[in-house]
Amino acid sequence: MIFVDSKKKSEKTLQKLYPNAVIADVTSKAPTALVRLSPFYPHGNIPVPFSNGLTSQSVEGVWQGLKVFQGADIDIAMFHNSSMKNIKRTVRTFGIPLGHRKGVNSTELLPYLEARIQIYLPTYRWVLENKVKVIIDKLRVASQEKDIVLLDYDTNEDVFNPKKPLSHAQLIKMYVEGNYPSTDVLLSKLKAQSKKLEPKVERAELAVKTKSKQKPVSKKPRASSVKTPKTKADEQIAIPF
């Protein structure tokens, strides 16, 4: 069975809560090959949604790169960052977030939850299916024989909770167990609940505010200035389960 808990808890506490379980860190600080499950990991060639062939080094690069703030538009440099550092774009630096652009050349801005559903979830799923399949297969088999606790900094599993970051460890658990969130189903639910979940701001107004700042983006991604960490193939690296 798979559990998800906070990386902030002490080893002693975790062992008490989950006796005999395998504790598996899946954050960007993981000391094993499970670091590849982190949204910050630079797998490379990750498709940027709605962007005509553009790719990103990491999932987090996609998420941060498509953000639009009151004081800044998208930043495709995030797509090329393979250092696992300096990817976050914050309110303190850029001002109030207006949404995520639906593709690098689009004038449409997606509200936070809709962006989570249409950008983050499909992008992370693509990585699970195309970049870490061996690890996921091993986790699926191991979880049928023993308890495994995935550690993450955040443990929120509710896609519709805008107050807390979505836990990628929870997404791993859902994917392995065969119930990864469906984009179509989530969009239908969001539409039905939109008045309760999102501020009453017209998308058209958001698009007008940022349209003048937007610059066309080349469809050919430039090479990253930082090399992706060199590692062995998944099946050749020891993992804790």
Side-chain angles (χ1 to χ4, degrees):
M1 183 175 292
I2 299 175
F3 300 90
V4 173
D5 215 321
S6 175
K7 180 178 170 63
K8 300 173 185 177
K9 290 183 179 178
S10 68
E11 183 177 349
K12 183 177 180 180
T13 298
L14 290 168
Q15 290 178 343
K16 185 176 181 180
L17 290 172
Y18 310 98
N20 303 316
V22 175
I23 307 300
D25 185 347
V26 294
T27 71
S28 60
K29 302 297 183 181
T32 69
L34 297 185
V35 68
R36 296 183 178 198
L37 297 174
S38 167
F40 287 80
Y41 190 83
H43 292 285
N45 297 316
I46 299 171
V48 178
F50 314 109
S51 298
N52 299 320
L54 276 179
T55 61
S56 174
Q57 288 291 324
S58 67
V59 173
E60 191 66 22
V62 172
W63 183 247
Q64 296 295 333
L66 291 177
K67 273 186 181 179
V68 175
F69 297 84
Q70 191 173 47
D73 205 293
I74 63 172
D75 184 358
I76 64 169
M78 297 297 101
F79 301 161
H80 312 300
N81 186 331
S82 59
S83 68
M84 298 180 72
K85 300 177 181 179
N86 303 316
I87 301 179
K88 292 284 189 179
R89 301 174 70 210
T90 65
V91 173
R92 177 177 295 182
T93 302
F94 300 106
I96 299 172
L98 301 180
H100 283 73
R101 198 168 289 289
K102 191 177 181 181
V104 293
N105 289 318
S106 174
T107 58
E108 180 180 0
L109 291 184
L110 299 174
Y112 184 74
L113 290 180
E114 193 168 338
R116 178 181 278 182
I117 294 169
Q118 294 202 62
I119 294 174
Y120 190 87
L121 288 175
T123 303
Y124 191 64
R125 179 169 190 155
W126 188 92
V127 167
L128 295 179
E129 293 177 341
N130 294 277
K131 294 294 185 178
V132 291
K133 185 178 183 302
V134 172
I135 292 178
I136 293 299
D137 288 345
K138 288 184 177 181
L139 174 58
R140 183 177 289 112
V141 172
S143 65
Q144 295 174 357
E145 303 171 348
K146 63 190 79 173
D147 289 341
I148 298 175
V149 183
L150 303 180
L151 298 185
D152 196 357
Y153 289 108
D154 300 290
T155 58
N156 173 41
E157 62 181 329
D158 183 2
V159 174
F160 294 108
N161 182 354
K163 296 181 180 180
K164 295 183 179 181
L166 188 61
S167 166
H168 73 277
Q170 293 284 10
L171 294 180
I172 294 168
K173 180 179 186 294
M174 293 177 195
Y175 184 79
V176 170
E177 295 176 348
N179 56 4
Y180 195 89
S182 164
T183 298
D184 291 339
V185 172
L186 291 175
L187 285 177
S188 295
K189 289 183 178 180
L190 182 61
K191 185 176 181 180
Q193 303 174 21
S194 60
K195 291 183 180 181
K196 297 180 181 179
L197 297 173
E198 293 289 350
K200 296 180 180 180
V201 180
E202 293 295 330
R203 292 186 195 174
E205 293 179 357
L206 292 176
V208 170
K209 288 180 181 179
T210 58
K211 186 175 181 180
S212 61
K213 298 179 182 179
Q214 183 189 0
K215 297 180 180 180
V217 178
S218 171
K219 295 181 181 180
K220 293 183 178 180
R222 59 182 173 80
S224 172
S225 59
V226 184
K227 294 183 179 180
T228 301
K230 293 182 179 180
T231 56
K232 300 177 182 178
D234 284 343
E235 61 270 19
Q236 296 178 316
I237 299 179
I239 52 180
F241 45 77

